[in-house]
Amino acid sequence: MIADSVLRVRDLSVEIALPSGTLHAVSNVDLEAMRGETLAIVGESGCGKTMTALAAMRLLPRRARLAAREISLSGTDLRALSDKAFSAIRGNRMSMIFQDPMTSLNPVYPIGDQLEEIHMRHRRAGRRRARERAEYLLDRVGIVNPRARLGQFPHQLSGGLRQRVMIAMALMCDPALIVADEPTTALDVTVQAQVLRLLKDLQAEFNMALILISHDLGVVARIADRIAVMYAGRVVETGSSGQIFGAPTHPYTRGLIDCIPYPGKTARRTRLGSIPGIVPSMIGDSRGCMFRNRCGWAEDRCRTDGNAERRIEEGHSYRCIHPVGHLQGAAS
Amino acid sequence: MSAPVLECDRVTRLFRVKRGLFETPATLRAVDDVSFSVQEGEVLAIVGESGCGKTTLARMLLGLLPPSGGSIRFAGRPMRQVGRSEIAARVQPVFQDPYSSLNPRKTLGQIVGLPLAVHRIGGEPERRSRVAEILELVGLPAHLVHAYPNQLSGGQRQRVAIARALAIQPRIVVFDEPTSALDVSVQAQILNLLLELRQSLNLTYVFISHDLAVVEHIADRVAVMYLGRLVELGGTAAIFDSPRHPYTETLLRSILTPDPSLGLPPGPFGGDFPDPLDPPPGCRFHPRCPSAMEACRAVPPAAVTDTAGRVECHLYNGESHGR
Amino acid sequence: MTGGLFADEFRVDAPTPREVMRRRARRHLGFLTGTGFVLAVVLLAVFAPWVSPSDPFAQNLDARLLDPIWGKGGSWDHPLGTDSLGRDYLTRILFGARISLLIGFGAAVISGVVGSTVGIVGGYFGGRVDAVVMYLINVKLALPGILIALSLVSVFGGSLIALIAILGFLFWDRFAVVTRSVTQQVRGQEFVAAAEAVGASHTRIVVQEILPNVMSHIIVIASLEMAIAILVEAVLSFLGLGIQPPTPSWGLLISEGRSFMFFKPWLIALPGLALFFLVIAINLMGDGIRDITVPEGRGR
């Protein structure tokens, strides 16, 4: 088990000091990404899913404060590394793919240069080796005529192609971990399916750990092995893809799944399930269950209690004193 | 059946696009020969990927952009004969981005009251009570009239945009991706609101979206666009249960329902979107089409209209007379 | 109704745009200092007839070139000394502030109105209108401003009104350039399309939807243009082409003090310092306004 663990995060909290108080962006998050496995972090905007990833990549905004009991990559304690040592790992052992490929690529350099630069920096290999690698990977990510594409500039590529280039870039140094933050959100639906398929295939081929951050339950259901559902800075439920969608236990997970129209299952033109209210302010007091003000089962205890982790079965746990679904009534 | 509330008859919109400094400007056929009609009280969805012309079409339906060819008719009257403010009174938009669709310097009262002011409806006190009424209608408390957009969440802002659209009681509302900038749980709230409003106010919706699951849920009929062409039009059940155009099939296959047992859909998706400035000859979909034939590469398919709807594909050209 | 049950959902905690600006202003040291200084100068200028110790034109040939209070033989009768005609220098400087502020303000208003109109019209309507606007701006940018000001002043003379008008029409280009590009951005926002779809007239859209979003930029440039106009007036007056004696203008005071530069340096230093601090203060204020009115990030 331990040998296969690539990224391990324990008790991660990120706080941001704002003039109006402390924003608890991420609170006590545990995550583990395994080799050859896709871990999806799912949640709505502001739930802390991106902050969690940025914290692991040490890319947090400067005024954010981080605390964690463990952040390790394949056994190396990342917290102990200097910024310089860390940047030797970032883009090398672990790399990140962002939502908007246009802003992640430098518009004034040909994509070939940008791909090669990463390889030359981390591998200290010559330009020829780097170019071979770039060409190989462009071909692998499904770009036709890669040699010609190397000389092109980002604006000459379509959104789908750019995201493929980003994926190739992330793979340049054969990383153990790829973190993809909403990699297909900016893409068209048909392109989205292609890019996801590509990510999944490459993950198997290169035997990497993939952390996929998404708000799209459809994407997550189809690609993830394990899922962490985040709400207001906390992981409220984790489990395998089958456990989360087959037996959602936290009221938020359940509500979220009921919210999405499901062709063939939800009746057309009927009310969808919905979660009333809006996400609470994460500034100031963050005790108790953050979902309580939108939860149909909330009671007084949820104000203070309700964040303890409870285990249903191997790999499936949640933080709630009123689980729904097959456990309803059986808890506490 | 009464006259359709809205008709498009061979509507075309061209744009001249400058490419380089010394190149001759190219012509972009953003919307190309599109015909459809919308019946009173129905929800017609227009789906397609970015660059398919759906937003340009929406702007023409709103009277914000004149068609280069063809005509748009409201209840039988050509749009050209309908005055600017009468168009506004009939059809109102709700846009995609709830952050850019509300003026950050104005209060909600001013924003929702703008249509009333422009159309000189009622006096100041009357307008104020009307604004409060509409805000309640979309699920916002009246005390928010003094709030500014930056004080609201995305979903609340989108409710304000809906309130503004409904202020002068239009018959038709054109939604351009109304939920794609919203979170899932908020999207459900807004979709429920739209369904309620349609019922209680007997509204007609033109619903533009790229999210097929949402479209399936809300639409009565679906029009599928590809590179400016309307390639298929039919009832929601027909489109989703037995799509005819290969592009519609491709789109449907790429819907990701939250079912972990299904895994990722099998390819192929036929590569990337072609350059809209230089569309393929013949059927515009043929380079990506799994069932492309010789004819598809050379001859643009004619539209086939039958009881099930309308489709533009050579696969159905032969049997058109049989139906 | 969805969500209606939950009271705190609609509690508006976030501050209004105006409150945000007020908060930022209170914490912005540069803005506070700049505005404070400018306000003080404005007050002194407005109340100059009451604040100043004597008449700005009253000559006293017996008391010529007296030293200021800190100098040899300085007295409280003339805290900043007297000039070569025995006029009280403090009074002259205070009245000079009136001229500087009037010219700065007047020129900024005229150039602001002209430039913003041109820029907003070009940015809003686009197409051929914009092409004309761009042509005008380019022509203006190609003209050597100071030289034209010099020649116009020498033709029309240096009355206050003429100076304000000439400076106003000379410096509109920066307003036009900035408002044009900001208008283009605002025009692309969906709320403008929504107003169009409602049937709002162009005038209403420009005045109610666009202008409030361009206003903060206009104010920032206006403050910078004001500083420039004040400096240019001083230059013109110094060269003898601006305000004509005996009207006190800072540029003129410096020019008059020039002949005594080596033995009565304060005659140049005092109006020079006044000019320096006023221009710095106005620039601080302008920078402050820009920081304060920067739009907030999306959401909360």
Side-chain angles (χ1 to χ4, degrees), chain A residues 44-45 158 160-161 188-194 196-197 200 215 217-219 221-223 241-242 245 256 259-264 266-278 294, chain B residues 49-50 153 156 183-189 191-192 195-196 198 210 213-214 216-220 236-237 240-241 250-251 254-260 262-266 269 271-272 288:
Chain A
E44 299 180 277
S45 51
S158 69
L161 282 183
D188 276 320
V189 276
T190 55
V191 184
Q192 160 170 294
Q194 296 170 43
L196 289 175
R197 161 114 272 157
K200 193 78 188 159
H215 71 283
L217 290 174
V219 168
R222 300 295 192 95
I223 197 172
S241 199
F245 284 96
L256 209 53
C259 273
I260 31 175
Y262 190 153
T266 48
R268 286 170 191 153
R269 288 175 290 288
T270 53
R271 286 188 66 84
L272 292 166
S274 70
I275 305 175
I278 56 170
R294 302 175 74 182
Chain B
E49 296 172 282
S50 55
S153 70
Q156 291 169 346
D183 274 323
V184 196
S185 68
V186 181
Q187 163 175 297
Q189 293 173 10
L191 289 177
N192 286 341
L195 286 168
E196 276 167 29
R198 185 180 78 106
H210 71 278
V214 167
E216 200 258 5
H217 186 74
I218 199 167
D220 297 308
T236 305
F240 278 84
D241 299 341
T250 310
L251 272 185
S254 60
I255 307 181
L256 302 175
T257 48
D259 185 342
L262 292 177
L264 286 168
F269 297 94
D272 256 16
R288 298 175 69 186

Side-chain angles (χ1 to χ4, degrees), chain C residues 40-78:
Chain C
V41 174
V42 168
L43 286 176
L44 284 173
V46 169
F47 295 107
W50 294 276
V51 199
S52 49
S54 60
D55 185 288
F57 305 109
Q59 303 182 3
N60 179 359
L61 297 179
D62 293 336
R64 295 167 58 217
L65 294 172
L66 291 182
D67 272 356
I69 189 79
W70 58 84
K72 225 187 307 163
S75 80
W76 280 107
D77 292 344
H78 300 290

Side-chain angles (χ1 to χ4, degrees), chain A residues 97-99 163 180-187 195-196 199 212-213:
Chain A
I97 300 169
F98 293 95
Q99 171 174 346
Q163 201 54 296
D181 187 1
E182 303 272 7
T184 59
T185 306
L187 304 178
V195 169
L196 289 175
L199 268 178
L212 180 91
I213 296 166

Side-chain angles (χ1 to χ4, degrees), chain A residues 19-20, chain C residues 13-28 292:
Chain A
S20 43
Chain C
D13 293 329
T16 64
R18 204 166 297 169
E19 281 166 14
V20 171
M21 285 184 209
R22 219 172 290 147
R23 273 183 214 178
R24 286 183 186 162
R26 247 179 267 139
R27 268 182 308 200
H28 199 292
I292 288 163

